């Protein structure tokens, strides 16, 4: 008989957890006495282990959440310290500018007062000098007149009187004004800075602008560009926070349409100094399901808070090269394939015999990425310098582009049923592959190939080829992107998953994926119906 024992409560374990474990363990043990549910001790232990695993899983999740929270708080604290030092420095700089402006105004006003003082002093000094000279002349004339009165000789008296009369007429004392040229009044320099003083006393921190609002209905996603438009928070803020100088936009790629807010800014691409309320972002690769955008306004003082993030869907066809299928003389590096000859290796005719025996066996490939399932025997060999894409098409519209490298001699680009290609098969020479073949070896040629039939195309060799595949409608088009010319269009009915396929001989090619179907493709779809296609 099993004995019921209470579980000891560890000081480090919360009481609720201990009670839960005790209760769970007691209930489990009590089940052993039920005749309908007999449980062994090992089953009880398994039950408790499962309960503990759930607790451990919960604690692990909580531990991770707390770690992220601590990191976020630490990051925020560091940012707060840095930001506070920054704004203090900016405040000191602004106050220094204000103090400098006051010093400049003080010097200017002092200069005006000194200049006026000097002008008036000069005028008064001049009058003072002239007055002293006139006073001296007047005193001399007065003494001469008094002396003349003492002359008794009539002839001498008349002569002296005449001289006095002439001297009085010419005396500066009678030509000099006795009124000061300027006054001592300097009231024109009286100042009243009460309004300015009140303005200084009202000085405070300039509020930052409110977050703008992204206008989702005006956002356009087309041709791998995104046009983003937003509305300012409102004209009411302009008088308070000052005019908005520019906007800043940030975006990041994601595969989730939730949890748009992220900690830190390491994942965001930034576009600054936007003067309008809209911007077009070009040159994007849509290799994620969504692009999340947010925008904020900035005045003279500082940027405001970001707007609520908005997620825009950016579906496109993304694939890479399946290196496991590449011919031994093809080097796959990122989005580029180059032909690097290795002599006669890989051309053993005995392999061709083995391939012919096995080519009759086929299987339906996985609709998902299949690079990991390819074996060495699936590598192309012989003169089939071919490599396949690693993502299959089982429906929908797809678009990608190809550029030949500078030293290319021959290449093919198209689509194929993976199972229909043997190791030595070349693109366009069986019923399960369609391609455009370009060559400038010996002579220049451009042709569309399918089922071992070729149609020569009268068009210069393109430098950028766009490939459009509508799996559901059975449309496969090749476009000279630089000249916007439809090179050729196949019309068929696809019955198996397709993969992009490439053949490279001498030189190399590079591909661009993650592209939306361009808007100009629609202009060619109706035209392609009238073109003569190869018979399927």
């Amino acid at each position: 008989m099993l004995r019921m024992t209470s579980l000891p409560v560890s000081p480090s374990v919360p009481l609720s957890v201990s009670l839960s474990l005790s209760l769970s363990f007691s209930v489990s043990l009590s089940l052993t006495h039920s005749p309908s549910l007999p449980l062994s001790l090992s089953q009880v232990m398994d039950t408790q282990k499962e309960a503990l695993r759930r607790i451990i899983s919960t604690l692990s999740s909580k531990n991770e959440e707390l770690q992220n929270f601590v990191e976020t708080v630490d990051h925020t604290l560091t940012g707060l310290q840095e930001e506070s030092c920054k704004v203090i420095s900016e405040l000191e700089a602004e106050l220094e500018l204000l103090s400098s402006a006051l010093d400049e105004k003080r010097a200017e006003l002092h200069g005006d007062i000194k200049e006026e003082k000097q002008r008036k002093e000069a005028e008064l000094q001049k009058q003072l000098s002239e007055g002293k000279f006139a006073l001296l002349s007047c005193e001399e004339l007065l003494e001469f007149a008094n002396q003349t009165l003492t002359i008794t000789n009539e002839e001498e008296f008349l002569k002296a009187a005449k001289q006095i009369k002439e001297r009085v007429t010419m005396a500066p004392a009678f030509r000099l004004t006795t009124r000061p040229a300027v006054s001592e009044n300097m009231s024109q320099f009286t100042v009243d800075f009460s309004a300015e003083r009140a303005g200084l006393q009202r000085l405070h921190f300039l509020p930052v602008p409110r977050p703008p609002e992204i206008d989702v209905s005006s956002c356009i996603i087309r041709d791998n560009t995104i046009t983003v438009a937003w509305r300012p928070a409102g004209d009411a803020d302009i008088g308070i926070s000052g005019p908005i100088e520019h906007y800043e936009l940030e975006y990041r790629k994601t595969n989730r349409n939730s949890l748009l807010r992220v900690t830190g800014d390491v994942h965001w691409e930034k576009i600054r100094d936007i003067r309008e309320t809209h911007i077009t972002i070009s040159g994007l690769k849509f290799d994620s399901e969504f692009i999340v955008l947010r925008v904020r306004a900035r005045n003279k003082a500082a940027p405001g808070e970001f707007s609520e993030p908005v997620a825009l869907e950016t579906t496109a066809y993304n694939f890479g090269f399946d290196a496991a299928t590449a011919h031994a003389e093809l080097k796959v590096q990122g989005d580029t394939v180059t032909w690097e000859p290795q002599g006669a290796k890989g051309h053993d005719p005995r392999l061709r015999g083995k391939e012919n025996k096995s080519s009759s066996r086929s299987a339906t490939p996985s609709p998902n990425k299949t690079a990991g399932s390819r074996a060495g025997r699936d590598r192309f060999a012989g003169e089939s310098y071919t490599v396949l894409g690693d993502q299959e098409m089982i429906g929908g519209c797809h678009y990608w582009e190809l550029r030949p490298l500078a030293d290319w001699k021959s290449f093919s680009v198209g689509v194929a049923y993976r199972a229909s290609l043997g190791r030595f098969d070349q693109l366009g020479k069986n019923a399960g592959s369609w391609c455009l073949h370009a060559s400038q070896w010996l002579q220049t040629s451009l042709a569309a190939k399918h089922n071992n039939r070729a149609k020569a195309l009268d068009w210069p060799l393109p430098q950028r080829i766009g490939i459009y595949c509508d799996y559901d409608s059975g449309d496969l088009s090749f476009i000279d992107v630089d000249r916007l010319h439809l090179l050729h269009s196949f019309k068929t009915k696809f019955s198996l998953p397709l993969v992009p396929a490439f053949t490279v001989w001498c030189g190399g090619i590079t591909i661009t994926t993650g592209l939306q179907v361009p808007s100009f493709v629609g202009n060619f779809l109706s035209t392609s119906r009238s073109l003569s296609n190869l018979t399927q």
Side-chain angles (χ1 to χ4, degrees):
M1 178 180 296
L2 296 175
R3 296 183 59 187
M4 300 293 294
T5 57
S6 61
L7 294 176
V9 180
S10 172
S12 61
V13 179
L15 181 60
S16 59
V17 176
S18 301
L19 291 174
S20 175
L21 291 176
S22 301
L23 181 59
S24 175
F25 188 67
S26 300
V27 171
S28 300
L29 289 180
S30 65
L31 291 177
T32 59
H33 298 282
S34 174
S36 59
L37 293 173
L39 292 178
S40 65
L41 184 58
S42 60
Q43 289 176 319
V44 173
M45 292 183 63
D46 291 340
T47 301
Q48 297 309 309
K49 286 181 179 179
E50 181 62 28
L52 285 174
R53 290 191 187 98
R54 289 195 295 269
I55 293 174
I56 291 172
S57 176
T58 302
L59 290 176
S60 298
S61 300
K62 194 64 178 179
N63 183 65
E64 183 178 357
E65 181 182 348
L66 290 174
Q67 285 181 343
N68 293 334
F69 172 72
V70 170
E71 291 176 1
T72 301
V73 172
D74 184 65
H75 180 273
T76 304
L77 178 60
T78 302
L80 174 64
Q81 294 169 345
E82 294 176 353
E83 189 68 15
S84 62
C85 292
K86 176 183 175 183
V87 296
I88 289 176
S89 177
E90 292 176 351
L91 174 63
E92 292 298 329
E94 289 290 339
L95 291 176
E96 183 64 30
L97 289 175
L98 187 60
S99 176
S100 299
L102 288 174
D103 290 341
E104 291 176 3
K105 181 57 66 175
R106 179 189 293 110
E108 178 185 344
L109 296 179
H110 280 197
D112 292 342
I113 295 173
K114 288 181 180 178
E115 183 179 347
E116 180 67 7
K117 172 175 172 290
Q118 291 172 356
R119 185 186 69 81
K120 287 188 173 184
E121 282 181 346
E123 291 287 341
L124 293 175
Q125 288 290 351
K126 179 181 177 182
Q127 280 192 306
L128 184 61
S129 177
E130 292 174 348
K132 288 181 178 180
F133 177 75
L135 179 61
L136 179 61
S137 175
C138 185
E139 290 175 350
E140 292 178 353
L141 185 59
L142 180 60
E143 183 181 356
F144 181 61
N146 288 328
Q147 292 177 356
T148 301
L149 289 175
T150 60
I151 298 176
T152 57
N153 184 288
E154 182 178 351
E155 182 177 353
E156 290 182 0
F157 176 80
L158 292 175
K159 182 178 180 181
K162 183 179 180 180
Q163 289 179 350
I164 290 172
K165 183 179 179 180
E166 291 175 351
R167 290 178 65 178
V168 168
T169 304
M170 300 299 295
F174 294 96
R175 298 197 309 270
L176 180 69
T177 178
T178 58
R179 184 176 179 178
V182 295
S183 70
E184 76 279 6
N185 189 3
M186 297 284 284
S187 60
Q188 71 269 32
F189 295 105
T190 302
V191 295
D192 180 12
F193 291 144
S194 58
E196 287 76 9
R197 184 165 53 254
L200 288 175
Q201 291 171 347
R202 289 194 303 269
L203 282 182
H204 206 269
F205 296 108
L206 187 64
V208 296
R210 291 189 297 170
E213 180 183 358
I214 296 179
D215 185 4
V216 180
S217 62
S218 299
C219 295
I220 301 173
I221 303 177
R222 184 174 57 199
D223 298 336
N224 280 77
T225 64
I226 297 179
T227 298
V228 187
W230 56 87
R231 292 184 292 268
D235 297 334
D237 283 351
I238 294 179
I240 301 175
S241 60
I244 295 173
E245 291 191 347
H246 61 268
Y247 295 93
E248 299 175 356
L249 182 138
E250 296 184 349
Y251 66 93
R252 69 182 182 95
K253 299 177 181 180
T254 180
N255 288 320
R256 295 193 298 174
N257 192 13
S258 60
L259 301 178
L260 299 181
R261 291 190 177 276
V262 295
T263 58
D265 57 354
V266 294
H267 302 294
W268 296 93
E269 299 289 338
K270 306 176 189 298
I271 302 178
R272 305 184 186 278
D273 199 26
I274 305 171
R275 301 293 173 172
E276 306 292 338
T277 56
H278 58 83
I279 189 174
T280 297
I281 311 171
S282 58
L284 296 172
K285 181 176 181 179
F286 289 166
D287 52 0
S288 63
E289 296 183 18
F290 300 93
I291 284 187
V292 180
L293 307 121
R294 61 185 187 181
V295 66
R296 63 181 177 182
R298 184 180 187 117
N299 59 13
K300 179 181 180 297
E305 293 291 334
F306 277 104
S307 64
E308 285 297 321
V310 170
L312 302 180
E313 190 172 5
T314 57
T315 54
Y317 183 43
N318 288 278
F319 69 91
F321 293 112
D322 185 353
T325 66
H327 190 284
E329 296 185 358
L330 294 183
K331 180 181 180 182
V332 176
Q333 192 170 18
D335 56 1
T336 301
V337 172
T338 53
W339 183 71
E340 295 185 357
Q342 301 175 6
K345 291 193 299 181
H347 296 274
D348 190 343
R350 293 173 295 179
L351 294 177
R352 187 185 300 271
K354 295 180 180 179
E355 170 61 20
N356 292 336
K357 292 180 182 179
S358 62
S359 61
S360 61
R361 299 191 299 269
S362 64
T364 302
S366 169
N368 299 320
K369 192 168 182 177
T370 56
S373 64
R374 309 304 299 174
R377 60 182 177 83
D378 295 321
R379 183 183 293 275
F380 288 95
E383 295 182 356
S384 180
Y385 301 100
T386 303
V387 61
L388 302 179
D390 63 358
Q391 291 285 348
E392 293 179 341
M393 295 172 279
I394 57 176
C397 299
H398 310 272
Y399 179 84
W400 65 98
E401 292 182 356
L402 175 144
R403 290 177 183 266
L405 300 182
D407 57 348
W408 73 276
K409 290 294 184 291
S410 174
F411 70 86
S412 297
V413 57
V415 297
Y417 300 142
R418 183 186 294 271
S420 69
L421 291 177
R423 294 183 65 195
F424 298 95
D425 289 340
Q426 298 180 5
L427 298 183
K429 291 192 175 183
N430 60 15
S433 62
W434 299 257
C435 74
L436 181 77
H437 176 75
S439 175
Q440 56 183 1
W441 173 253
L442 300 180
Q443 62 180 5
T444 299
S445 65
L446 188 65
K449 293 184 177 183
H450 170 61
N451 204 13
N452 206 26
R453 299 178 63 184
K455 177 181 179 180
L457 305 177
D458 185 17
W459 190 258
L461 295 175
Q463 297 302 311
R464 183 159 61 118
I465 299 173
I467 301 93
Y468 169 73
C469 179
D470 185 343
Y471 186 96
D472 301 320
S473 298
D475 289 320
L476 177 64
S477 301
F478 300 92
I479 301 167
D480 184 338
V481 180
D482 295 325
R483 300 182 180 92
L484 289 182
H485 175 77
L486 180 62
L487 300 171
H488 187 77
S489 182
F490 290 101
K491 181 63 178 178
T492 185
K493 183 177 181 180
F494 299 120
S495 58
L496 292 173
L498 289 171
V499 289
F502 309 88
T503 296
V504 180
W505 178 77
C506 194
I509 61 169
T510 182
I511 59 172
T512 303
T513 65
L515 300 177
Q516 290 181 303
V517 177
S519 55
F520 60 73
V521 169
N523 301 330
F524 299 129
L525 294 181
S526 58
T527 305
S528 66
R529 303 297 186 268
S530 61
L531 296 177
S532 56
N533 299 324
L534 296 176
T535 303
Q536 305 305 311

